[in-house]
Amino acid sequence: MSLAVKVGDEIPELVKHPTTRQLVQYAGASGDFYEIHYDQDFARSVSLPGVILHGLLKAGYVGQLLTDWVGDRGTLKSFEVSYRGVDVPGKPYRCRGRITKVDGKNVELDVWGEDDNGQKTTLGTAMVELD
Amino acid sequence: MAATDVVGRIKAHIGKTQKPVTATVEAGHLRRFAESIGDPNPRWNEEAPPTFLVAIAPTSYHLDEAEQYGKGWLNGGNRFEYLEPVKVGDRITATGKVADVYEKSGSSGNLLFIIFETEYTNQHGRTVARLRGTAIRR
């Protein structure tokens, strides 16, 4: 089955519900043990509101957004994200994407993550090659 | 020590390649990584999800000098490029380097940007992915 895609289409969104438990799981699985992700006192000591999500965990969410959408109908070629704000556990995180270019089998997208106020705290782009 | 001296010493790392890190992609590690993201796709029983390679080797390596600048790290962004799928049993070698170092003035003081690049090759010597990361000292 091929994907019918056109510029301006949004792909199905992915809403995540990060918890402190998930931050500890991610720290262990990724090997990133920076204390701002699990030690509340340490996080506040470096002027953060408390423990925050790993940027790379948010990249992981965006990766899931993309691979859920592409499935076995193509290949994720690249994606990049910049982290524009900090996000805390206990609040939903909404990942979205919109097609910006279609050139034969090559599709480009804007991708982003929104906090529960609708602030885009992660911004990026992705390139996918459809079969 | 003046901040400019610190910046100069960090800049001396630009272009230096780190000692490569090699690891085998294990099914249990893939499962724990996918679970930590909350991604239930059964595809990740056999194949690495898009951001998994960061777990093979640190995305940035420790720079003692950088710890003398500001009081904490932030991740500014990441770029992933994929050339080949990574599967369970693949033996992956990660080679990282500092690609760039620069200072910027922000609303709450100066920030130091360190750009790390990592190339991942498999047991056949083929490049499977590249990662670029922006680490920020604030």
Side-chain angles (χ1 to χ4, degrees):
Chain A
M1 189 182 94
S2 67
L3 283 174
V5 295
K6 64 178 191 296
V7 171
D9 282 355
E10 268 206 38
I11 65 176
E13 68 175 19
L14 175 70
V15 181
K16 305 298 281 190
H17 298 278
T19 59
T20 49
R21 180 192 183 96
Q22 190 175 19
L23 299 194
V24 172
Q25 280 185 289
Y26 188 79
S30 70
D32 179 349
F33 292 104
Y34 191 28
E35 292 83 349
I36 61 172
H37 305 300
Y38 54 85
D39 181 334
Q40 299 285 7
D41 291 339
F42 182 91
R44 291 189 191 108
S45 78
V46 291
S47 311
L48 292 170
V51 297
I52 63 168
L53 272 60
H54 298 73
L56 279 164
L57 175 58
K58 294 189 276 187
Y61 293 165
V62 171
Q64 183 185 352
L65 170 84
L66 290 161
T67 50
D68 279 355
W69 173 64
V70 177
D72 56 5
R73 298 165 292 194
T75 308
L76 177 62
K77 303 301 285 185
S78 66
F79 81 99
E80 63 180 300
V81 284
S82 78
Y83 311 113
R84 304 300 179 93
V86 298
D87 290 285
V88 295
K91 293 182 175 177
Y93 199 70
R94 191 173 172 213
C95 300
R96 302 171 66 187
R98 181 183 294 125
I99 292 159
T100 55
K101 189 177 175 184
V102 180
D103 180 9
K105 298 190 297 182
N106 298 306
V107 177
E108 293 179 23
L109 302 97
D110 280 343
V111 289
W112 67 96
E114 296 176 359
D115 65 17
D116 63 338
N117 296 317
Q119 283 286 108
K120 294 180 180 180
T121 57
T122 304
L123 280 179
T125 58
M127 296 185 68
V128 167
E129 186 180 306
L130 299 179
D131 291 338
Chain B
M1 183 183 299
T4 48
D5 297 338
V6 174
V7 173
R9 290 202 288 130
I10 300 165
K11 280 189 173 178
H13 288 272
I14 295 173
K16 280 188 191 165
T17 298
Q18 281 299 101
K19 188 167 176 279
V21 175
T22 299
T24 300
V25 177
E26 296 163 355
H29 194 189
L30 283 185
R31 188 187 69 247
R32 287 194 306 277
F33 189 86
E35 280 175 1
S36 78
I37 291 172
D39 184 344
N41 194 336
R43 180 176 168 185
W44 314 135
N45 295 336
E46 294 290 330
E47 187 184 337
T51 58
F52 174 77
L53 287 173
V54 305
I56 287 281
T59 54
S60 57
Y61 58 91
H62 191 76
L63 290 176
D64 286 330
E65 292 96 331
E67 303 273 330
Q68 296 166 24
Y69 186 105
K71 59 183 178 181
W73 290 101
L74 278 181
N75 187 348
N78 292 100
R79 179 177 199 281
F80 295 85
E81 182 187 359
Y82 306 104
L83 289 89
E84 278 193 36
V86 173
K87 300 284 179 72
V88 169
D90 280 353
R91 195 146 173 82
I92 301 294
T93 298
T95 308
K97 69 173 183 182
V98 174
D100 203 3
V101 175
Y102 54 90
E103 225 178 348
K104 271 188 186 175
S105 50
S107 51
S108 55
N110 286 354
L111 303 169
L112 184 72
F113 289 72
I114 305 174
I115 314 297
F116 291 97
E117 287 179 354
T118 309
E119 181 162 292
Y120 300 92
T121 55
N122 65 14
Q123 65 274 25
H124 308 295
R126 295 196 297 266
T127 301
V128 292
R130 295 190 186 97
L131 171 66
R132 187 177 167 91
T134 304
I136 303 172
R137 286 294 297 181
R138 56 186 270 277

